[in-house]
């Protein structure tokens, strides 16, 4: 029986996301203040609302991504039954997986699981590696090797 492999939330991705949001918030607040000083009420309200939306998104990111990273919580787990994506709350059983691929992206790669049938998530399930700690290729190779090992165990039974 293979051991359980766990990948934690990425602190680096959390800080990067927070930095980008902080830059946008600062730009929006600067524009809001300029509009206020120029007595442009409509501009002040519009940019103020966008600044508040970005603050809300930042708060959500802190609660759902950064706090779990600091607590050392598991983002992705492999066990003999399947793979668990705790970020999106997706559980796939190995017996339902036909193939696994890595789809590179601009900011992060995705694990693509081809299923043997149409599930609630569709026939193809994509799991983003943006919030998973570790190299995308290492995570992919680990998942693929684990799948091959479990698939071999299933065939022997």
């Amino acid at each position: 029986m293979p051991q359980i492999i766990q990948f934690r939330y990425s602190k680096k991705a959390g800080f990067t996301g927070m930095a980008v949001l902080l830059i946008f918030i600062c730009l929006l607040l600067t524009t809001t203040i300029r509009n206020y000083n120029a007595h442009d009420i409509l501009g002040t309200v519009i940019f103020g609302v966008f600044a508040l939306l970005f603050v809300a998104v930042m708060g959500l990111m802190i609660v759902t991504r950064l706090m779990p990273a600091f607590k050392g919580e598991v983002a992705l787990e492999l066990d003999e039954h399947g793979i668990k994506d705790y970020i999106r709350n997706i559980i796939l059983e190995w017996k339902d997986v036909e193939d696994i691929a890595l789809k590179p992206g601009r900011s992060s790669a995705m694990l693509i699981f081809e299923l043997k049938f149409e599930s609630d998530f569709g026939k193809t399930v994509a799991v983003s590696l943006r919030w998973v700690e570790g190299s995308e290729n290492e995570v992919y190779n680990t998942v693929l090797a684990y799948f091959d090992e479990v698939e071999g165990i299933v065939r022997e039974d």
Side-chain angles (χ1 to χ4, degrees):
M1 185 173 352
Q3 66 180 1
I4 295 173
I5 298 177
Q6 297 178 331
F7 297 97
R8 309 244 176 251
Y9 278 86
S10 171
K11 293 176 189 165
K12 179 182 171 186
F15 284 129
T16 303
M18 295 281 292
V20 170
L21 281 175
L22 280 173
I23 290 169
F24 282 130
I25 290 169
C26 288
L27 290 172
L28 286 169
L29 287 176
T30 303
T31 306
T32 303
I33 291 168
R34 284 186 189 150
N35 285 337
Y36 179 78
N37 289 336
H39 303 291
D40 179 7
I41 301 301
L42 181 63
T44 303
V45 170
I46 290 172
F47 287 109
V49 167
F50 279 114
L52 290 175
L53 285 173
F54 274 97
V55 167
V57 169
M58 192 166 111
L60 185 66
M61 182 183 288
I62 289 170
V63 170
T64 62
R65 301 294 188 262
L66 207 53
M67 286 177 62
F70 281 127
K71 291 178 183 175
E73 291 183 12
V74 176
L76 197 65
E77 182 177 273
L78 313 172
D79 64 23
E80 73 264 10
H81 302 292
I83 183 166
K84 296 175 180 107
D85 175 7
Y86 292 111
I87 298 169
R88 290 182 40 213
N89 200 24
I90 295 175
I91 299 173
L92 299 173
E93 293 188 21
W94 296 122
K95 65 180 179 149
D96 300 334
V97 176
E98 189 170 323
D99 194 21
I100 303 171
L102 181 68
K103 180 181 177 186
R106 281 186 183 166
S107 59
S108 71
M110 299 182 91
L111 288 174
I112 306 296
F113 292 90
E114 294 288 332
L115 302 179
K116 295 176 183 174
F117 60 90
E118 189 78 23
S119 72
D120 294 341
F121 306 109
K123 185 156 174 57
T124 303
V125 178
V127 174
S128 175
L129 296 178
R130 173 185 310 246
W131 304 107
V132 177
E133 190 173 66
S135 160
E136 295 163 346
N137 286 327
E138 288 176 14
V139 172
Y140 169 67
N141 290 330
T142 302
V143 171
L144 200 57
Y146 201 96
F147 175 64
D148 289 343
E149 183 179 349
V150 170
E151 192 176 57
I153 290 172
V154 171
R155 284 185 207 159
E156 292 175 5
D157 288 341

